[in-house]
Amino acid sequence: MTALVKKIKNGRAYWYATESARVNGQPRVVRQRYLGTVESIEAAFDAAYEPESIDVVEFGATAAMWALAGRINFGLWVDALLGPQATGLSVGTYLQAAAVNRAVKPTSKRGFVTYYNGSVLSRLLPAPPQAWASQRFWDAMHRVDASLVEAIEEAYVKCAMDEFGIDAEALVYDGTNFHTYISSTNGRADIAQRGHAKNKRFDLRLVGLALACSTDHRIPLGHIATAGNAPDAKVFAESLPKLVARLEAVGVDPASVTVVFDKGNNSEPNLAAVNVAAIGFVGSLVPSQHRDLLAVPDEEYQAVEELEGVVAHRCERQIYGVTRSIVVTRSQSFLAKQLVGLAQTRGRVEVHLAELDRLLAGGRHKMDRAKLEARVAEALAPRWMSRLYRYGITGQGKEDLRLSWSFDEEAFALLKSTELGKRIIFTDRLGWSTKEIVVAYRSQWEAEAAFRQMKDHEHAAFRPIYHWTDQKIRVHALYSVASLMLVNLAWREADRAGMGLSPNEVMEALAAIQETTLIYPPAKGNGRPRILRKLTRMDQTQQELFELFGLDTFSPREGTTAKWSGI
């Protein structure tokens, strides 16, 4: 029998735990343990329930992305196509970890270990710190020959289409470029070139990316990394055969596919290539090159069914020698956006012209007439501005040079009536309705949105790009596009569940689900510390996402010793 016994020594009470038993028929104390004073017992009791430290790591977004990467077998396909590897973390594991990192919190490879230690990935994929050194990532990337990139993407895209039932009959295609900090003297990265930077960083070398996405939640189905200075039409010509081959490889009949692209890809060879590929297309024409279509009177336009504020004129024209369906649309919402943008541009132009007025009036300049004309031309360079402003220059030198300018209201009225708010769409789908053609063209926004997503710094970002060879840049593009698929698959699943969230809202809600680790002192002496892991309290949205992605699989496990051990 065990009992607490109090002993008084020098007027103070001390407590012992004693165990009694009969020895030779007589009751005896067979075990005794000193517990201390009441104060020391209370302190020990408090310590048992007061953690020494508390760690918090991100759980939800990383676990969901890791789960989705597993469902499309991204890392497994990398390893399968590479063949036998040495011991340690596999190349597929490194690239899948990189894709998940890009989806959740993009970092450089040098900064990856900080993300790893601050997320549940450190528990899901335990490895020593040295395994996550940037050199280990580069070694893994070096194993993936550029010729394998397409095979890897083809394999995991087919898996994703089978697993999630992605619709590939309507695709959008577009291209963009991303700036890098690759040195100008680096001769090992021909893909990084100076060119027309779409984010205006003309001082830096660029890497191009062409992307084909499903209109079903802009899931990327194919990409190609291109030279940053390659024109859009040339990139399209290079990408189209690969896109068609990709569709055939994943079991999609190209004849059932319609690809949507913008006017930058128009050329006679490109449209001939589309015909040879036997896929449908919807594109747009440059309005200024078809003024006869812009001049069609308003009474020949008809309202487009179910598209509020949109009217259209339908006809047929020979484009590059082939008959195409033409739809000229005028949209009130598009007109409103253009007018807002035009007003902002006018504001900048007039500030520029007023500054020239000020310089001329004060005589504080070194311009002659030719230089002033060049400065005015620069101010009026934005679209439509040279048509909307009238100006005159008098004098020849510093003393008498003067500028006068005004906004031409008549030219503005003509622009509004003939061009603003209009698009000229053309297609080889002659049997489609006007509404089907307009809706298909509007899906071009999906590709633009995908690139905006990749240029954001939050989720699925393509940058930073800290690589300096063509091979590694192509591998970087492989897992960056895979990260876009992971984020948009999560968005698609949440949308199909009726949650009504954007991609970023899905990721932010998931990232707010965190895992806490409470570390308690050992129960006995100098033993191992006791550890308790729990997930933070979830709101309704987080709980729905938790269940939708089956994150219970990755939750801390409860067992017979769950109060202290966890996993």
Side-chain angles (χ1 to χ4, degrees):
M1 182 178 66
T2 303
L4 289 175
V5 176
K6 180 172 68 173
K7 297 182 181 181
I8 304 297
K9 296 181 180 180
N10 298 324
R12 293 196 66 187
Y14 297 89
W15 290 86
Y16 293 79
T18 64
E19 184 177 338
S20 300
R22 285 188 176 273
V23 179
N24 297 325
Q26 299 295 322
R28 293 285 187 271
V29 174
V30 296
R31 188 178 69 85
Q32 176 177 279
R33 182 179 182 186
Y34 173 67
L35 301 178
T37 64
V38 170
E39 292 79 11
S40 63
I41 293 171
E42 286 181 339
F45 184 84
D46 291 341
Y49 291 94
E50 184 73 23
E52 290 182 337
S53 62
I54 301 175
D55 292 335
V56 180
V57 297
E58 184 273 320
F59 171 84
T62 295
M65 295 300 101
W66 191 259
L68 289 170
R71 290 178 66 182
I72 65 174
N73 292 325
F74 178 73
L76 289 178
W77 276 116
V78 173
D79 291 336
L81 292 167
L82 275 178
Q85 302 177 39
T87 58
L89 295 178
S90 70
V91 173
T93 301
Y94 276 109
L95 296 197
Q96 183 163 311
V100 169
N101 168 247
R102 289 273 152 179
V104 177
K105 190 176 182 179
T107 65
S108 66
K109 298 301 172 288
R110 185 170 296 174
F112 178 87
V113 72
T114 301
Y115 156 75
Y116 174 80
N117 290 330
S119 77
V120 75
L121 196 60
S122 59
R123 178 168 64 77
L124 302 181
L125 190 61
Q130 60 269 25
W132 302 111
S134 56
Q135 186 62 52
R136 300 287 76 77
F137 272 102
W138 294 331
D139 291 343
M141 294 173 69
H142 188 69
R143 290 284 314 279
V144 183
D145 187 81
S147 62
L148 280 178
V149 167
E150 287 185 36
I152 292 169
E153 185 176 58
E154 180 182 304
Y156 84 76
V157 166
K158 186 177 189 307
C159 190
M161 292 180 69
D162 292 342
E163 174 73 9
F164 293 94
I166 298 166
D167 180 9
E169 291 190 355
L171 302 180
V172 288
Y173 169 90
D174 206 353
T176 191
N177 50 44
F178 301 85
H179 68 267
T180 75
Y181 294 99
I182 296 174
S183 169
S184 298
T185 59
N186 180 1
R188 300 178 64 191
D190 293 337
I191 202 171
Q193 298 288 339
R194 283 187 171 82
H196 178 70
K198 297 189 179 183
N199 63 349
K200 311 304 181 185
R201 290 304 304 262
F202 302 110
D203 57 320
L204 298 174
R205 293 172 73 176
L206 309 170
V207 170
L209 183 71
L211 195 64
C213 296
S214 167
T215 55
D216 180 6
H217 293 81
R218 50 181 184 264
I219 305 296
L221 302 182
H223 84 277
I224 178 171
T226 66
N229 62 348
D232 288 347
K234 181 180 178 181
V235 174
F236 182 85
E238 183 181 353
S239 303
L240 183 63
K242 296 180 180 181
L243 175 59
V244 173
R246 170 68 45 77
L247 294 172
E248 292 177 329
V250 299
V252 176
D253 179 7
S256 70
V257 173
T258 300
V259 64
V260 183
F261 50 81
D262 68 11
K263 61 182 73 69
N265 298 298
N266 291 347
S267 72
E268 187 170 358
N270 281 357
L271 291 175
V274 170
N275 283 342
V276 171
I279 62 175
F281 78 88
V282 176
S284 64
L285 300 171
V286 179
S288 60
Q289 296 175 358
H290 299 273
R291 296 202 176 278
D292 59 324
L293 293 173
L294 294 178
V296 171
D298 291 346
E299 54 267 22
E300 294 192 24
Y301 284 76
Q302 295 181 348
V304 180
E305 181 184 2
E306 297 181 13
L307 296 180
E308 186 178 353
V310 179
V311 294
H313 168 69
R314 179 84 177 259
C315 61
E316 291 186 353
R317 286 285 192 282
Q318 292 279 316
I319 305 297
Y320 296 123
V322 181
T323 299
R324 307 296 190 188
S325 273
I326 304 291
V327 177
V328 185
T329 66
R330 183 162 192 172
S331 163
Q332 291 301 317
S333 61
F334 183 40
L335 173 62
K337 290 177 182 178
Q338 285 188 314
L339 290 175
V340 169
L342 193 145
Q344 293 171 343
T345 304
R346 282 185 59 189
R348 292 191 295 270
V349 166
E350 293 184 6
V351 166
H352 197 158
L353 294 175
E355 175 64 12
L356 291 176
D357 277 341
R358 187 186 66 80
L359 291 174
L360 294 170
R364 301 176 60 183
H365 66 89
K366 297 181 180 180
M367 293 182 289
D368 56 18
R369 188 184 183 96
K371 288 183 179 179
L372 177 58
E373 287 179 345
R375 292 284 296 273
V376 173
E378 179 184 354
L380 299 180
R383 187 182 184 189
W384 297 313
M385 293 301 109
S386 61
R387 293 164 57 183
L388 297 180
Y389 282 88
R390 299 289 175 261
Y391 71 92
I393 296 175
T394 58
Q396 297 294 328
K398 179 177 179 180
E399 300 301 325
D400 63 346
L401 200 59
R402 292 292 181 270
L403 170 68
S404 61
W405 54 271
S406 63
F407 183 73
D408 190 333
E409 293 290 351
E410 290 185 2
F412 180 49
L414 181 62
L415 182 67
K416 283 177 64 178
S417 65
T418 59
E419 189 166 342
L420 292 184
K422 291 184 179 180
R423 286 191 174 97
I424 304 176
I425 306 169
F426 75 122
T427 179
D428 62 351
R429 298 298 197 191
L430 304 184
W432 278 15
S433 69
T434 299
K435 175 191 170 184
E436 288 174 319
I437 295 170
V438 174
V439 170
Y441 181 76
R442 285 185 170 189
S443 67
Q444 174 65 23
W445 177 87
E446 299 284 356
E448 297 167 358
F451 281 128
R452 284 195 297 272
Q453 220 172 323
M454 297 186 80
K455 290 186 176 185
D456 192 352
H457 297 293
E458 294 299 320
H459 306 293
F462 193 82
R463 297 186 59 248
I465 312 171
Y466 295 115
H467 305 291
W468 50 86
T469 66
D470 282 351
Q471 181 266 337
K472 284 191 173 60
I473 290 172
R474 294 186 191 281
V475 177
H476 174 90
L478 170 68
Y479 60 69
S480 294
V481 173
S483 78
L484 178 65
M485 174 179 277
L486 297 179
V487 171
N488 286 351
L489 282 175
W491 170 42
R492 181 179 185 269
E493 292 299 285
D495 200 38
R496 288 161 69 92
M499 298 185 68
L501 302 174
S502 69
N504 274 357
E505 287 171 339
V506 171
M507 294 301 295
E508 293 304 316
L510 284 167
I513 305 173
Q514 298 181 313
E515 179 177 293
T516 59
T517 301
L518 289 81
I519 303 174
Y520 294 86
K524 295 181 180 180
N526 296 320
R528 296 174 63 186
R530 297 167 294 174
I531 296 175
L532 178 64
R533 288 190 174 94
K534 291 286 186 183
L535 298 182
T536 52
R537 184 177 298 175
M538 290 178 268
D539 62 25
Q540 182 177 346
T541 297
Q542 293 162 353
Q543 186 65 47
E544 289 179 17
L545 291 170
F546 181 88
E547 295 172 1
L548 180 64
F549 297 114
L551 299 189
D552 183 59
T553 303
F554 304 101
S555 297
R557 286 292 142 231
E558 301 262 354
T560 55
T561 58
K563 182 174 181 180
W564 300 118
S565 62
I567 62 169

